[in-house]
Amino acid sequence: MRRAQPTTAKTVTSGERDATRPQIRDQAELALPSATNRKKSGEAGRTLSDKVIEAHACDEDDTALYRRVNVDAVLGHDATTALLIDDFERRGLSIWDRDRVLLANDHFSPPATAERADISNRFLAFAREREIPNLMLDRGICHQLLVEHQLCQAGGLVVGADSHTIMAGGIGVCATGMGATDILFTLATGTTWLRRPETIAVRFHGALPPGSGGRDVVLALLAILGESGAQYRSLEFHDESTSRLCQDDRFAIANMAVEIGAKFGVFVPDEVTVDYYRKRDGELLGTLVRPDQDAVYERVIDLDLSELDPRVAKPWSPANVVPLRELEPTPITTAFLGSCASGRLSDLRDAAAELTDRKVHPDVRFVVIPASVEVFKQALRAGYVETLTEAGAIVNHSSCGACGGIDKGVLGADDVCVSTSNRNFRGRMGHWDSRTYLASARTVARAAARGVLAPDLYGERRNG
Amino acid sequence: MTAIEGRVWLFGDDVNTDVIHPPAFYSLDPDKVRRGLFHGYDPDLQPSLRPGDVLVAGRNFGCGSSRETSIRSIRLNEVGAIVAVDFARIFFRNATNNGLPCLTFADAGDLARLRQGQRITVDPDTAVLHTEDGSVPLTPPGAFVRRIWSAGGLLELLAPG
């Protein structure tokens, strides 16, 4: 495993944390529901995920390594749900609560081959026969659709048949990805088994520089922790920064928590979270679960955002991270803005701002895929789609696209891609010899215009 | 669970599911899924596998996607077990749920004792790996994992009706 040395991040182990621990901002003034925040006297302080798991436990033995828990919602998409249909039907199972299921065809949307059309049709027939009310046909990437939906509520426990289900942690939800067999079990019972994870607290401080975003933050974290640094653990994010991470940045960070091996990647809810829910639902329907002040953490990481300039992950690991300014100039053939890791309105806004009155370099194909149709509509209204199209970008239908090597821009052997997606694993986006660099939407757009992923994309930068 | 006898296939750290089973081989067709195993990494590997062979790896085996086609492919190729320093959590769940034993070394340093192509026996119940040179202790699986194994997979725990 590669562990790039962090240059702007300071890590503090739990043994040291009391000396350096800044005051956690008192959030009592928000007057938010706190029923599950109460602690019985004499108990060790609990983390956010401890509380959510306990609140959902449906077994008696609270000392068991594995707890059986009720889930609030189940997420599935065409590619993984299709794998469980035969077993589900052969066993004569039925769905425990169809109102708590969200299914979306995002991998094959629309299908590019006859085989995938057949798989898609099988998936759609499964959902329609069971009259799943939340079947989202060609509406975007399931993880974005989940956080746009009322099924996804703060304090909830959500499982999904895709690793990036974890992204709902961006709004205070304990959400985690599983395989088709686990999801089949949950569809039939409304329950699953969870091992109680240890928690790593990550506290953001300082003010994020204007050119940097959530992608740069999570890449910096990957550089510290590596691909397995949070294996089996819950990452609990505390935004104590003065600039405050916007909601889209939080989704970008929570999304890639799974690239660090995490089971949950959950933000402690605050006023940014509350704003999101109020805009989405009109009122706050969920429960804002927060950790105890004396919660027991395996490790505490303090990340100063003030000096965090743009980052890139080089092939073929999302943890192979360097500051962009240290990268050797790398000519690119493809730029991709999309996937559940990005492709949200602020990403499209950043790219449009970079490409206003500019053109995509003639040697580059720039593919843009909004994360959902809702995001696409907002981007249309804001004029971002027109700006990007005038610049020479291709704006495609909301779906996973080339992120998983599916369609709409799969890479050939000689392609070098800079991408806002979450994985640059070898062969993932296409040919085994293709090369993918991960970066923010702003960096992707600048590289698309220059034709080169260059260390001076943000000008000559000071050392630091 | 009966003991597994086969040859060692050695891998390093952070072997992800896109390397184990490239997305281009995603399918509901078992033959296509079977052929995709490690196809980009080494196209000659899959045709050389024999029933009972054991994948032996370093840290974080199976990181990445939750797609169970990677487990299906390993099962369709009749790989007997996977022994690693540790596993990515979704992969471990998927394998266990499908009755594929994933075991970890009791001492991570023992990985260095195994050689490519070496014949070994893995006994999941006693958590011991035997080579011609001696035995390598593995971490005994917990009661929950044993329960799924003995049931024949997670779905066998579903109450009928």
Side-chain angles (χ1 to χ4, degrees):
Chain A
M1 187 197 314
R2 307 171 188 91
R3 287 179 189 270
Q5 200 58 36
T7 53
T8 63
K10 173 179 62 132
T11 70
V12 181
T13 61
S14 55
E16 300 167 295
R17 74 173 193 261
D18 290 339
T20 56
R21 188 172 193 167
Q23 213 44 43
I24 291 181
R25 206 171 58 82
D26 182 7
Q27 292 164 330
E29 77 276 10
L30 290 171
L32 301 163
S34 61
T36 55
N37 288 331
R38 281 197 300 271
K39 184 175 58 157
K40 292 176 213 156
S41 61
E43 280 184 355
R46 294 176 301 160
T47 68
L48 197 164
S49 65
D50 289 342
K51 292 184 181 184
V52 171
I53 289 175
E54 280 181 39
H56 289 79
C58 56
D59 55 7
E60 298 297 318
D61 183 6
D62 64 2
T63 62
L65 183 61
Y66 288 83
R67 301 299 305 272
R68 191 164 184 177
V69 291
N70 293 309
V71 306
D72 296 308
V74 179
L75 178 69
H77 60 63
D78 42 1
T80 50
T81 306
L83 296 172
L84 62 79
I85 294 174
D86 277 353
D87 270 323
F88 199 86
E89 292 182 341
R90 190 163 55 239
R91 290 168 186 270
L93 299 170
S94 52
I95 291 178
W96 106 101
D97 184 350
R98 63 185 183 179
D99 291 329
R100 290 180 179 271
V101 179
L102 196 158
L103 296 177
N105 65 319
D106 56 9
H107 279 55
F108 313 136
S109 175
T113 68
E115 183 191 19
R116 288 171 180 177
D118 287 341
I119 293 170
S120 183
N121 289 341
R122 181 117 175 78
F123 164 77
L124 295 173
F126 174 81
R128 286 172 177 147
E129 282 163 16
R130 285 156 187 80
E131 298 178 339
I132 303 293
N134 301 310
L135 169 62
M136 318 289 264
L137 177 63
D138 296 323
R139 303 308 290 170
I141 305 173
C142 69
H143 307 299
Q144 180 63 23
L145 298 176
L146 178 68
V147 298
E148 290 175 4
H149 199 283
Q150 282 200 2
L151 268 177
C152 186
Q153 293 291 347
L157 183 63
V158 176
V159 298
D162 188 286
S163 58
H164 292 109
T165 305
I166 196 168
M167 190 187 94
I171 46 175
V173 182
C174 281
T176 194
M178 297 178 174
T181 305
D182 264 319
I183 294 304
L184 187 160
F185 187 93
T186 304
L187 280 175
T189 65
T191 68
T192 190
W193 276 273
L194 288 181
R195 195 165 97 178
R196 179 193 159 273
E198 294 295 326
T199 296
I200 299 173
V202 180
R203 301 185 305 203
F204 302 118
H205 306 284
L208 194 63
S212 299
R215 292 276 294 170
D216 303 299
V217 174
V218 75
L219 289 177
L221 201 54
L222 269 152
I224 296 167
L225 286 167
E227 280 189 59
S228 61
Q231 194 184 62
Y232 286 95
R233 289 162 178 82
S234 176
L235 283 172
E236 188 181 278
F237 300 113
H238 298 243
D239 184 4
E240 297 164 21
S241 68
T242 53
S243 51
R244 312 316 308 277
L245 292 162
C246 72
Q247 189 53 59
D248 283 357
D249 282 340
R250 294 178 181 201
F251 286 136
I253 293 165
N255 180 283
M256 287 188 72
V258 72
E259 278 27 282
I260 316 173
K263 169 181 258 165
F264 302 123
V266 61
F267 273 79
V268 176
D270 59 14
E271 73 279 8
V272 175
T273 322
V274 173
D275 281 351
Y276 182 85
Y277 282 112
R278 292 222 165 109
K279 279 197 187 107
R280 194 190 72 180
D281 299 340
E283 57 182 322
L284 187 66
L285 301 172
T287 307
L288 301 183
V289 178
R290 298 196 190 81
D292 290 328
Q293 291 284 325
D294 60 345
V296 178
Y297 296 112
E298 185 184 78
R299 180 179 178 187
V300 175
I301 295 172
D302 283 291
L303 199 59
D304 182 2
L305 306 183
S306 306
E307 296 296 318
L308 204 152
D309 57 0
R311 295 291 195 267
V312 288
K314 301 196 287 184
W316 282 283
S317 162
N320 189 19
V321 173
V322 295
L324 173 64
R325 64 185 141 75
E326 291 177 10
L327 188 75
E328 62 284 6
T330 306
I332 60 166
T333 64
T334 308
F336 175 50
L337 195 179
S339 91
C340 54
S342 301
R344 275 172 282 275
L345 194 65
S346 62
D347 302 305
L348 297 166
R349 181 199 63 207
D350 288 350
E354 295 297 335
L355 290 172
T356 299
D357 301 324
R358 293 181 78 189
K359 292 290 181 197
V360 173
H361 191 277
D363 294 345
V364 174
R365 171 184 288 139
F366 186 13
V367 176
V368 176
I369 304 186
S372 71
V373 171
E374 189 53 43
V375 169
F376 177 59
K377 282 162 39 182
Q378 291 172 16
L380 274 174
R381 287 195 290 270
Y384 304 153
V385 174
E386 184 172 2
T387 301
L388 292 167
T389 305
E390 287 294 341
I394 307 160
V395 181
N396 266 321
H397 172 67
S398 298
S399 59
C400 302
C403 171
I406 299 165
D407 55 20
K408 306 185 186 86
V410 172
L411 305 181
D414 295 331
D415 277 318
V416 178
C417 176
V418 58
S419 171
T420 65
S421 57
N422 33 42
R423 291 183 180 141
N424 57 350
F425 295 149
R426 192 162 187 185
R428 176 176 171 87
M429 289 186 75
H431 197 280
W432 182 252
D433 292 334
S434 64
R435 300 170 65 81
T436 297
Y437 293 74
L438 305 180
S440 70
R442 190 180 293 280
T443 301
V444 166
R446 287 192 183 204
R450 181 85 73 89
V452 181
L453 186 58
D456 64 348
L457 279 183
Y458 290 84
E460 293 298 328
R461 299 191 69 89
R462 66 190 187 284
N463 288 328
Chain B
M1 189 171 276
T2 53
I4 294 126
E5 293 180 50
R7 299 167 304 164
V8 167
W9 293 85
L10 274 181
F11 297 88
D13 293 339
D14 298 320
V15 176
N16 65 69
T17 50
D18 290 317
V19 167
I20 295 169
H21 198 257
F25 288 87
Y26 168 86
S27 178
L28 300 184
D29 171 11
D31 186 56
K32 184 173 172 183
V33 171
R34 185 179 55 77
R35 285 186 287 111
L37 194 64
F38 295 111
H39 192 269
Y41 174 79
D42 178 0
D44 297 329
L45 199 161
Q46 184 272 331
S48 308
L49 284 169
R50 289 186 217 142
D53 281 357
V54 177
L55 312 183
V56 176
R59 293 200 170 279
N60 204 29
F61 188 85
C63 58
S65 167
S66 73
R67 286 189 310 270
E68 276 191 23
T69 34
S70 56
I71 302 293
R72 281 192 185 183
S73 187
I74 291 168
R75 296 290 278 165
L76 287 164
N77 281 289
E78 299 182 66
V79 167
I82 309 177
V83 180
V85 172
D86 59 35
F87 292 90
R89 54 164 280 278
I90 299 175
F91 184 91
F92 181 82
R93 285 184 78 112
N94 289 348
T96 303
N97 288 342
N98 286 282
L100 172 69
C102 286
L103 293 133
T104 57
F105 291 102
D107 175 355
D110 282 342
L111 172 62
R113 291 171 60 185
L114 297 174
R115 300 184 310 277
Q116 180 82 354
Q118 181 179 22
R119 291 205 69 84
I120 59 168
T121 303
V122 177
D123 186 341
D125 291 330
T126 58
V128 179
L129 183 159
H130 300 279
T131 72
E132 64 268 35
D133 308 322
S135 60
V136 175
L138 306 174
T139 305
F144 185 71
V145 168
R146 284 178 192 277
R147 191 175 152 213
I148 294 177
W149 282 356
S150 59
L154 178 72
L155 299 187
E156 304 307 325
L157 298 182
L158 280 170

